[in-house]
Amino acid sequence: MRIDLLEDDPDQAEMISHWLTEEGHDVRWYRTGGDLTRALHRDVPDVLLLDWVLPESSGIDVLTWVRQSFLGRIPVVFITAQDSEEHVVTALQAGADDYLVKPPRRRELLARVQAVGRRAGAIQPAEILTGTDPYVVDVGHRMISLRGKSVDLTSKEFDLAAYMFANAGRLVKRGVLLERVWGRSQTITTRTVDAHISRIRKKLAIDETNGWRLISVYQHGYRLERAA
Amino acid sequence: MVDDMVPEPLRRRYIDTFPDKSAALSAALDLLANGDAAGPRSLRDQAHKLAGSAGMYGFDDVGQLAREIVHSVDGGTADAVGAGLTRDLIAILNSASVRFGL
């Protein structure tokens, strides 16, 4: 999703942006309400994350402007250190869709952003690959579970694993993986692919006991296949 | 104290700002000690930012103390309570700076 973040503190903005970017979101960071509202005139994001206390105008001012403007119903999540019940109620009554007290917790923040985006229709319904049992590869929610237990993967590890499952039984060249997972412009080597393959093999426990194997085909690439 | 989910370059960059954060808190403390009207506001601003960021980088103790300082300023006890908490916070930041080789 495209996410606009309004946060005046670079330390917090950097970490929040990192978490969201790692999950595959496209984040734009603004320090002031003025910068954000000017940008909103040009381009509307899928989700808006607002801090409350800002140098010029407050997050509530920005929220009020957004709700009264031509922008329609952008999902808005407050991330703020204002933790009193009064503040939460004020934000929700002003039109916020959700409210997180700082410091936000990574998984909770990602889940809440995902939830408001889903409710607003910014996220398509989950797409789940078929024929991958005992694994469930949920492309829509970017999640893989093994026998009902979610496996913690980085964004790239998920992309790589999902691509391998989507192409199960086929030989996939390293160059193709590089292009599909990291993109053409990245200065990543095939060694990175090898390292990630090794990690997903370990994290997902891809082995005979789970009915799969991820084999290396010398000088060509990798094949994920059912264990005989 | 340190969260494994925090990438090392980001954590390092955050730690590198501890001396500046400590200096800003000291300056706010001086304003407070001199009876400057801007003292409580300045102290609150510095603590507010730390309360928001420290926990994300794995420094929960720093964030908790910063939050208590914010509450003390909001509760009108910046002089009586906030100043002492701020000295504790400065000590933690300075100690961490030394520990991380700054």
Side-chain angles (χ1 to χ4, degrees):
Chain A
M1 288 189 290
R2 256 282 315 286
I3 298 170
D4 282 4
L5 167 65
L6 177 59
E7 170 59 67
D8 65 318
D9 180 17
D11 293 331
Q12 297 173 48
E14 185 167 45
M15 185 58 80
I16 292 170
S17 298
H18 169 76
W19 287 343
L20 293 166
T21 305
E22 202 181 37
E23 280 301 297
H25 299 298
D26 177 17
V27 183
R28 294 187 311 189
W29 169 39
Y30 301 95
R31 279 173 181 253
T32 70
D35 290 344
L36 173 65
T37 51
R38 275 188 292 280
L40 289 174
H41 278 288
R42 295 191 299 270
D43 204 0
V44 179
D46 296 313
V47 174
L48 203 48
L49 302 181
L50 301 180
D51 185 15
W52 188 302
V53 180
L54 297 159
E56 295 167 7
S57 53
S58 76
I60 286 289
D61 294 337
V62 174
L63 174 60
T64 304
W65 179 84
V66 166
R67 290 295 177 242
Q68 290 172 352
S69 70
F70 58 94
L71 296 169
R73 189 72 207 171
I74 309 176
V76 174
V77 178
F78 261 91
I79 307 178
T80 170
Q82 310 288 355
D83 55 1
S84 72
E85 182 182 14
E86 188 185 338
H87 280 102
V88 177
V89 170
T90 301
L92 294 175
Q93 286 182 339
D97 296 278
D98 207 346
Y99 195 102
L100 272 168
V101 174
K102 289 180 180 177
R105 291 172 294 195
R106 177 178 156 273
R107 290 175 61 205
E108 182 181 3
L109 168 70
L110 296 173
R112 287 183 186 272
V113 166
Q114 191 87 359
V116 295
R118 190 168 55 242
R119 287 202 293 272
I123 297 170
Q124 298 305 310
E127 183 191 334
I128 296 174
L129 300 183
T130 55
T132 61
D133 62 291
Y135 298 92
V136 173
V137 183
D138 185 340
V139 179
H141 293 107
R142 299 182 61 75
M143 203 167 73
I144 298 180
S145 56
L146 171 59
R147 299 185 204 286
K149 192 173 176 190
S150 175
V151 180
D152 193 19
L153 298 171
T154 66
S155 183
K156 292 297 180 205
E157 287 165 358
F158 172 82
D159 289 342
L160 183 59
Y163 190 79
M164 293 307 298
F165 274 110
N167 291 279
R170 296 188 192 129
L171 171 64
V172 183
K173 293 182 177 175
R174 284 184 178 82
V176 171
L177 289 173
L178 260 182
E179 186 183 318
R180 295 301 176 99
V181 176
W182 283 270
R184 281 172 192 268
S185 61
Q186 300 288 328
T187 52
I188 302 288
T189 67
T190 52
R191 202 170 288 187
T192 302
V193 178
D194 298 338
H196 277 73
I197 286 282
S198 173
R199 280 209 291 273
I200 64 170
R201 188 186 277 128
K202 190 174 175 188
K203 283 188 175 182
L204 293 169
I206 299 174
D207 55 27
E208 314 274 319
T209 58
N210 288 316
W212 289 87
R213 61 184 167 214
L214 179 50
I215 59 169
S216 170
V217 180
Y218 183 62
Q219 288 192 332
H220 282 86
Y222 292 96
R223 183 165 53 229
L224 177 66
E225 61 187 20
R226 288 278 186 191
Chain B
M1 192 171 183
V2 174
D3 187 342
D4 287 342
M5 295 300 289
V6 180
E8 183 55 25
L10 294 191
R11 193 174 69 93
R12 187 69 228 185
R13 229 169 13 242
Y14 187 67
I15 291 166
D16 285 345
T17 66
F18 280 5
D20 289 341
K21 289 177 175 21
S22 172
L25 286 166
S26 294
L29 209 51
D30 288 344
L31 289 176
L32 203 63
N34 295 331
D36 192 311
R41 181 78 226 173
S42 174
L43 182 59
R44 192 189 190 284
D45 287 347
Q46 299 303 328
H48 174 78
K49 285 183 181 170
L50 269 170
S53 63
M56 282 196 282
Y57 288 86
F59 295 93
D60 295 341
D61 50 350
V62 171
Q64 183 56 40
L65 204 44
R67 230 176 338 274
E68 287 175 30
I69 294 169
V70 170
H71 288 150
S72 78
V73 175
D74 291 348
T77 59
D79 289 298
V81 181
L85 294 173
T86 305
R87 278 189 283 276
D88 291 344
L89 182 53
I90 289 169
I92 290 176
L93 290 173
N94 290 345
S95 153
S97 297
V98 171
R99 197 166 64 252
F100 289 105
L102 298 181

